[in-house]
């Protein structure tokens, strides 16, 4: 008769390093996708008209000292 501990021990014993790497990569891609989706959903609909703090941040962080870079950035 097979015990429960033998079944649990056997489950991951037959997984190769390649399969384990694929599983880890899939988890990483899933977490990255969830993070990007969260950011997109969080920032969707934000515009200067609806978010005065965003407009103020843009005014504060704008490149006023380098207008030539804004209008025609270097091709380097």
């Amino acid at each position: 008769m097979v015990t429960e501990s033998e079944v649990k021990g056997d489950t991951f014993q037959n997984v190769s390093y390649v399969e384990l790497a694929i599983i880890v990569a899939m988890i990483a891609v899933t977490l990255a996708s969830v993070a990007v989706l969260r950011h997109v959903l969080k920032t969707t609909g934000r515009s200067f008209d609806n978010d005065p703090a965003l407009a103020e941040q843009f005014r504060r962080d704008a490149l006023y000292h380098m207008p030539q870079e804004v209008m025609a950035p270097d091709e380097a």
Side-chain angles (χ1 to χ4, degrees):
M1 176 158 230
V2 177
T3 65
E4 186 177 338
S5 62
E6 290 174 348
V7 172
K8 287 183 180 178
D10 247 1
T11 303
F12 292 106
Q13 199 170 20
N14 295 329
V15 176
S16 71
Y17 289 116
V18 173
E19 292 170 334
L20 187 61
I22 291 171
I23 292 169
V24 169
M26 289 172 51
I27 291 171
V29 167
T30 301
L31 292 176
S33 299
V34 168
V36 168
L37 180 62
R38 181 179 180 269
H39 174 72
V40 167
L41 292 176
K42 184 177 176 183
T43 58
T44 299
R46 289 180 67 191
S47 68
F48 298 134
D49 297 333
N50 299 333
D51 193 351
L54 185 62
E56 181 59 35
Q57 178 185 0
F58 178 77
R59 276 189 227 107
R60 186 180 63 242
D61 298 340
L63 301 174
Y64 292 116
H65 62 286
M66 297 187 317
Q68 69 280 2
E69 290 294 320
V70 174
M71 301 305 262
D74 290 337
E75 298 293 329

